[in-house]
Amino acid sequence: MTDTAYNFAYLDEETKRMIRRAILKGIAIPGYQVPFASREMPMPYGWGTGGVQVTAACLTPGDRLKVIDQGADDTTNAVSIRKFFERTAGVATTERTAEATVIQTRHRIPETPLTGDQILVYQVPIPEPLRFLEPRETETRKMHELEEYGLMHVKLYEDIARHGHISTAYAYPVRVEGRYVMDPSPIPKFDNPKLSGNPAIQLFGAGREQRIYALPPFTEAVSLDFEDHPFEASKPDHPCDLCGAEGSYLDEVITDDRGGRMFVCSDTDFCAERRAAGHAGRLAAPYEETAA
Amino acid sequence: MYVAVKGGERAIDNAHAWLAEERRGDPAVPELSVAQIREQMALAVNRVMAEGSLYDPDLAALAIKQARGDLIEAVFLIRAYRTTLPRIGASRPVDTGAMACDRRISATFKDAPGGQVLGPTFDYTHRLLDFALAAEGEPPVAATAPPDETPTPRITDFLGRDGLIQPEPATDAEPRDLTREPLEFPADRPLRLQSLTRGDEGFVLAMAYSTQRGYGRNHPFVGELRIGAVPVEMDIPELGFAIEIGEITLTECETVNQFAGSRTEPAQFTRGYGLVFGQTERKAISMALVDRALRWDELGEDDTGAPAQDAEFVLSHADNIQATGFLEHIKLPHYVDFQAELELVRKLRAEALASRREAAE
Amino acid sequence: MTMVHPIAPGTPPAVPGPLLSVDGIEKRYGARIGCTGVSFDLWPGEVMGIVGESGSGKSTLLNCLAGHLAPDAGRVLFDTRDGGMVDTVTMAEPARRRLSRTDWAFVHQNPRDGLRMGVSAGGNVGERLMAVGARNYGGIRAAALDWLDRVEIAADRVDDRPSAFSGGMQQRLQIARNLVTGPRLVFMDEPTGGLDVSVQARLLDLLRGLVREMGLSAIIVTHDLAVVRLLADRLMVMKSGRVVEAGLTDQVLDDPQHAYTQLLVSSVLQV
């Protein structure tokens, strides 16, 4: 049911036009952070206001929306954002990746490969990949302008010198088409390869920091590394305990207070579809016997 | 065995219902009306209007009620509501010099045309809990006098007449609008003032206080602090002239600060400026001090590295809605990021333990 | 003692032009003169010393030459690898920043200004290599270790941060960090200032070795005549923002013509 007190998808048309202009600019300059006049949304900054504004600017009445947080459709913030658009835009929603036309996500890229008919909208807390090396916006903008990215590799060098490995596990920076260094939002580095050459449009919205950036379809995004310490898209070395998938990203669940734990797909739709298709993991079935 | 955590939707609905009950509190106690909040919690209402950037005492009072008295939450409600309002036009600049002052004080001159008016202030109250307020009853009637029609020109104008204070050149240029454009640096003074007037009172206060303690000291005196009502006028194109569309209460503070000058340039005082919705004088004075600190560059002073001199630092952190949202978002699930780090830490530990074992053998 | 430098490897022998040509540089601070009317040529492999008391304008001049300050008048022509003599004053900011991390180097008086104090010694030396595209960790580390050795810092300090180093070590680390990419021109601002006398002597000795070995071109600003006597081929003496005397180092120091130079020379202990 649409709440008629507000415009379609909450934002007024002028604001949506302003956001669309920023999105188009972002698509024209892949990886470049476009400043935009982020609006105050009825959910807190840091809870997806950037993604919500980008989604609102992209949605049409015919769209089918999927919202995930940590890969799951049923996490509270995903539920809350999905409800917001059900109420303000009245669009159809889905939990199935393949059926969605617009997917808003926090921290994951779905396991099911995306297609050219889809838009993936990321919620971004800190869009600036150089932020924790240089806190000043005026300075980081200059570094991007002049392609002064040596400092990024200094950070990776320091990681290896200290730990023997690059110790960035999520929000792992990428170089886009050999030009801008970009923060892919806090997705696990396991997801980084899916950024590159993806047929879907990937849009990144940072509300509090007032930035939008984009990867157009089939854009190259290379994870920063060294020749002799190449990037590695790693994940916990287990199959999913519910669906048995070997190659999906996993959540770790503590099952008792004696060190018991299990690993399950973080992408709930992917896992459910596999189980529906008859795949089963170590702890999937039959429930009754193990419970007894 | 394992049941996935489901039912986020029901959990949220239940949480909201519980919240509504808690908001009401004990039903045996009479419910607060919005009018009661507006009239009796007026300074809270003023703060919510100022930081919410929306002058509407009734809505601010409603927001305070809805937020259970959490003023930042109330500001947030007002801001979110404000975003959806159509922008019909802009008023003419208000003339604070023609303010009908309830309060007007100067720390720089003992007396001036229009006089000093204490007004309804806490300043000289003794901070003793007044148990009479716990019992219900009307306060004694305050003395009244006919309104003083004498104009109250600004104190700094007297200094300006003799060239003793640095002038602020008049301009018709339309300032940029913080709520319609992204904040980019360097930010000019109109943008800085907009940011400060809606900034968190506690943050602006702390920044101002830091300048007094030497982190970017600028020797301020309160040249003038005035609180009162000003008419708001708007040009109506169909009419061809401006009409008064209402009246708002403002607090304005002008500080007179350390002088600049040299052998060739005659010495002049400088100023800081604060203007805030409602009776909000702590905020207005703080704003003037921070405004002044941020002007170091244009006034040819040294950047001492003080936080209050750093416009990017001050403006990026003054907004409590941005701050509280980002702070509280760490409550949201971060399973995925945490899992990624957990995996890495396990790997590093395994390698370190293995090499320690090797060394032991 | 005049030093003879070998021709820097890679210098094309055919066109022997100056590396840097400075023409009429002036910088004012309001009505006050920072420096004015400074012109000179610096040839490949040559070390130019600029001496004067504090306030003489020598640091202002150096900062104008290195692109840290915008002069109000004059040109600073640099013999770029691909474009020949180019005025670095009017050069676009990106090109100038590129120069300053490839062909130029700047050694600050205070090593804290030239080092990243939160980054290990190896990372400090490696940064310039990574900035110009080095992407092999092993190679970068080997280069860092080689340079730490050349500036006499023990290899086992490679992962320590400079905050744990003595002042002299920090300054040697700063020099290694600057020279690792083989710059063609090095600017030095009081490189031995703030160090104990014995530490200064060791650093000077090291610098002299590197200058000789690498055939460095350098401009060194100092108030210490001992530094220029050891390192500089030529000398400019500055007073009140102007060059009052210039010439071969030994000539200027042993037979000063200008009254101010005579005063300077006579007021220092013989070295």
Side-chain angles (χ1 to χ4, degrees):
Chain A
M1 199 178 62
T2 315
D3 198 327
T4 47
Y6 293 104
N7 192 35
F8 176 76
Y10 186 76
L11 294 172
D12 62 278
E13 291 304 310
E14 201 181 318
T15 299
K16 284 198 267 184
R17 199 172 311 140
M18 175 272 291
I19 295 171
R20 287 184 198 127
R21 274 197 287 264
I23 291 172
L24 288 174
K25 187 168 179 182
I27 288 177
I29 316 170
Y32 170 74
Q33 300 167 49
V34 184
F36 83 112
S38 177
R39 297 290 191 252
E40 255 117 4
M41 300 300 285
M43 59 265 300
Y45 284 117
W47 298 52
T49 55
V52 166
Q53 290 180 78
V54 170
T55 298
C58 289
L59 277 183
T60 65
D63 272 314
R64 187 177 294 274
L65 177 68
K66 172 181 164 84
V67 183
I68 50 174
D69 188 338
Q70 316 295 303
D73 298 89
D74 59 354
T75 32
T76 43
N77 202 44
V79 169
S80 166
I81 290 172
R82 186 165 57 239
K83 250 186 155 173
F84 174 75
F85 282 114
E86 281 171 353
R87 188 170 156 195
T88 59
V91 293
T93 56
T94 180
E95 297 197 356
R96 299 198 50 185
T97 300
E99 285 174 7
T101 55
V102 177
I103 302 171
Q104 178 165 335
T105 179
R106 181 167 167 264
H107 297 188
R108 276 306 315 273
I109 300 177
E111 307 288 356
T112 308
L114 303 177
T115 67
D117 301 326
Q118 294 179 307
I119 299 175
L120 182 61
V121 179
Y122 296 78
Q123 300 173 202
V124 181
I126 301 274
E128 180 49 73
L130 303 164
R131 179 60 68 240
F132 300 111
L133 302 170
E134 169 55 61
R136 269 172 199 288
E137 182 68 18
T138 34
E139 191 52 34
T140 54
R141 285 189 81 80
K142 182 157 263 178
M143 289 160 80
H144 283 293
E145 182 190 333
L146 304 177
E147 288 185 62
E148 287 189 355
Y149 291 135
L151 204 50
M152 293 292 317
H153 271 90
V154 172
K155 154 88 175 67
L156 302 184
Y157 171 94
E158 292 287 290
D159 278 357
I160 300 172
R162 188 165 317 140
H163 302 297
H165 293 279
I166 293 171
S167 62
T168 301
Y170 60 92
Y172 193 106
V174 292
R175 186 95 186 246
V176 178
E177 291 287 339
R179 180 57 181 89
Y180 287 99
V181 167
M182 185 191 97
D183 182 313
S185 88
I187 56 173
K189 65 178 181 173
F190 172 79
D191 279 343
N192 267 29
K194 297 180 212 152
L195 294 162
S196 196
N198 199 314
I201 294 177
Q202 300 177 78
L203 303 176
F204 299 79
R208 192 178 40 78
E209 299 277 344
Q210 307 190 316
R211 296 289 183 272
I212 285 173
Y213 50 101
L215 293 174
F218 303 108
T219 300
E220 180 195 63
V222 178
S223 304
L224 302 183
D225 62 1
F226 289 106
E227 295 157 4
D228 45 348
H229 283 264
F231 170 80
E232 209 183 324
S234 60
K235 69 180 246 326
D237 189 19
H238 299 270
C240 171
D241 284 331
L242 293 181
C243 78
E246 298 276 352
S248 72
Y249 198 73
L250 301 171
D251 280 342
E252 180 172 339
V253 178
I254 298 175
T255 52
D256 55 43
D257 57 3
R258 300 178 307 277
R261 53 179 40 112
M262 64 185 290
F263 289 88
V264 297
C265 288
S266 101
D267 185 334
T268 48
D269 169 57
F270 178 76
C271 195
E273 288 194 20
R274 275 180 57 84
R275 277 177 288 154
H279 298 280
R282 183 174 65 102
L283 300 171
Y287 284 112
E288 298 75 22
E289 281 182 31
T290 34
Chain B
M1 150 90 228
Y2 173 70
V3 183
V5 191
K6 279 274 181 192
E9 192 150 356
R10 205 181 56 216
I12 289 173
D13 288 343
N14 288 341
H16 291 175
W18 192 356
L19 171 67
E21 252 183 45
E22 288 290 316
R23 175 186 298 124
R24 176 60 183 86
D26 182 353
V29 176
E31 185 183 354
L32 264 179
S33 74
V34 168
Q36 285 171 335
I37 296 171
R38 184 193 65 220
E39 295 302 316
Q40 297 173 38
M41 296 282 136
L43 297 186
V45 167
N46 286 339
R47 181 172 172 192
V48 170
M49 293 196 301
E51 295 172 26
S53 301
L54 184 71
Y55 196 93
D56 189 323
D58 289 302
L59 286 183
L62 173 63
I64 291 169
K65 180 173 177 176
Q66 188 178 333
R68 304 177 64 198
D70 179 336
L71 295 189
I72 291 182
E73 181 68 24
V75 170
F76 186 7
L77 289 167
I78 292 298
R79 291 267 192 97
Y81 175 74
R82 181 189 190 279
T83 308
T84 66
L85 297 177
R87 184 71 61 104
I88 298 168
S91 76
R92 307 186 101 186
V94 293
D95 179 6
T96 52
M99 180 183 278
C101 296
D102 287 340
R103 173 161 164 77
R104 190 251 198 159
I105 53 167
S106 170
T108 49
F109 293 99
K110 187 165 187 184
D111 203 1
Q116 304 239 21
V117 181
L118 272 185
T121 174
F122 290 127
D123 282 357
Y124 304 102
T125 62
H126 294 146
R127 269 61 170 198
L128 305 170
L129 273 178
D130 182 357
F131 294 101
L133 287 173
E136 284 161 34
E138 294 302 313
V141 177
T144 57
D148 188 353
E149 300 291 336
T150 335
T152 47
R154 284 198 199 81
I155 301 290
T156 49
D157 290 349
F158 298 108
L159 291 168
R161 208 162 299 152
D162 301 331
L164 288 169
I165 194 161
Q166 142 265 339
E168 300 295 341
T171 168
D172 285 328
E174 194 172 319
R176 288 189 288 161
D177 182 345
L178 186 68
T179 66
R180 297 274 132 175
E181 292 171 47
L183 179 60
E184 292 184 73
F185 298 101
D188 60 12
R189 193 166 177 226
L191 275 181
R192 300 199 303 252
L193 291 170
Q194 287 171 46
S195 172
L196 290 174
T197 193
R198 72 194 323 235
D200 181 75
E201 179 173 314
F203 178 84
V204 181
L205 169 66
M207 281 291 124
Y209 178 47
S210 74
T211 68
Q212 289 183 292
R213 290 195 65 259
Y215 291 84
R217 183 148 185 250
N218 52 43
H219 310 271
F221 302 103
V222 171
E224 182 173 6
L225 176 78
R226 54 169 66 197
I227 303 173
V230 294
V232 178
E233 293 181 343
M234 196 164 159
D235 284 313
I236 307 294
E238 291 84 346
L239 297 177
F241 53 85
I243 59 165
E244 188 177 321
I245 56 170
E247 199 177 70
I248 60 175
T249 296
L250 294 174
T251 302
E252 183 186 55
C253 176
E254 281 200 279
T255 54
V256 176
N257 297 66
Q258 69 190 16
F259 46 84
S262 64
R263 214 169 288 172
T264 47
E265 297 278 320
Q268 268 189 329
F269 289 104
T270 57
R271 57 176 126 199
Y273 187 71
L275 181 71
V276 187
F277 277 161
Q279 181 177 351
T280 43
E281 68 183 68
R282 181 187 301 123
K283 172 75 171 288
I285 299 169
S286 302
M287 176 177 168
L289 263 59
V290 178
D291 168 53
R292 178 59 185 75
L294 291 174
R295 301 181 71 189
W296 62 272
D297 193 14
E298 69 179 280
L299 296 172
E301 296 169 341
D302 289 334
D303 178 2
T304 61
Q309 287 182 309
D310 184 336
E312 190 168 335
F313 179 82
V314 172
L315 304 193
S316 299
H317 302 116
D319 191 288
N320 51 24
I321 302 307
Q322 291 176 358
T324 197
F326 196 57
L327 181 98
E328 297 195 32
H329 105 281
I330 60 174
K331 293 183 292 193
L332 286 178
H334 284 79
Y335 322 136
V336 162
D337 311 359
F338 185 70
Q339 190 60 42
E341 294 228 305
L342 199 56
E343 183 217 339
L344 183 70
V345 170
R346 282 179 178 145
K347 183 167 154 187
L348 297 178
R349 284 178 60 82
E351 285 175 2
L353 291 173
S355 66
R356 200 189 290 174
R357 257 196 312 274
E358 256 169 49
E361 279 163 13
Chain C
M1 176 194 73
T2 308
M3 288 187 301
V4 180
H5 297 298
I7 299 295
T11 307
V15 212
L19 182 67
L20 187 79
S21 184
V22 178
D23 178 21
I25 285 295
E26 174 174 296
K27 176 72 188 172
R28 287 175 177 274
Y29 299 101
R32 195 169 61 79
I33 291 173
C35 63
T36 186
V38 179
S39 303
F40 69 93
D41 286 341
L42 183 78
W43 297 79
E46 187 180 38
V47 176
M48 168 72 85
I50 303 175
V51 296
E53 59 197 1
S54 62
S56 62
K58 58 190 193 301
S59 286
T60 295
L61 174 63
L62 190 75
N63 282 308
C64 284
L65 301 182
H68 298 170
L69 279 177
D72 298 312
R75 300 189 303 165
V76 179
L77 301 171
F78 179 73
D79 184 17
T80 59
R81 286 177 204 256
D82 34 1
M85 297 301 271
V86 176
D87 185 2
T88 61
V89 173
T90 55
M91 186 182 258
E93 168 93 1
R96 189 162 53 233
R97 299 234 325 202
R98 201 168 309 125
L99 261 191
S100 68
R101 59 177 196 254
T102 53
D103 277 353
W104 291 1
F106 197 104
V107 177
H108 294 265
Q109 171 173 7
N110 186 343
R112 290 182 163 269
D113 297 333
L115 291 173
R116 290 194 189 279
M117 300 304 283
V119 166
S120 70
N124 264 292
V125 178
E127 179 172 357
R128 271 173 78 106
L129 293 171
M130 292 183 254
V132 297
R135 292 293 178 264
N136 187 297
Y137 175 82
I140 294 162
R141 199 164 169 83
L145 284 167
D146 175 45
W147 266 98
L148 290 184
D149 181 51
R150 291 172 78 166
V151 298
E152 298 162 19
I153 295 175
D156 63 359
R157 305 301 302 270
V158 65
D159 292 332
D160 292 347
R161 294 182 177 183
S163 44
F165 288 4
S166 69
M169 273 173 84
Q170 288 180 0
Q171 194 58 293
R172 281 180 276 134
L173 180 62
Q174 192 194 180
I175 288 163
R177 170 180 160 88
N178 269 287
L179 298 188
V180 65
T181 47
R184 295 161 64 214
L185 175 57
V186 185
F187 300 98
M188 297 190 205
D189 187 7
E190 303 274 11
T192 58
L195 298 176
D196 295 342
V197 176
S198 62
V199 180
Q200 276 188 24
R202 183 176 172 193
L203 186 74
L204 273 178
D205 201 42
L206 177 80
L207 271 177
R208 182 166 59 169
L210 290 170
V211 160
R212 272 191 183 155
E213 188 185 325
M214 298 177 72
L216 283 179
S217 310
I219 298 175
I220 301 177
V221 156
T222 178
H223 67 282
D224 186 346
L225 297 188
V227 171
V228 285
R229 191 180 286 276
L230 269 175
L231 294 177
D233 305 306
R234 279 196 298 148
L235 200 56
M236 297 198 307
V237 182
M238 290 189 72
K239 183 180 188 304
S240 310
R242 290 182 167 78
V243 176
V244 294
E245 185 165 357
L248 295 175
T249 302
D250 293 346
Q251 187 187 335
V252 174
L253 293 184
D254 295 341
D255 184 21
Q257 301 299 305
H258 192 277
Y260 176 73
T261 316
Q262 290 166 358
L263 196 68
L264 264 188
V265 171
S266 65
S267 66
V268 293
L269 296 169
Q270 288 303 311
V271 282

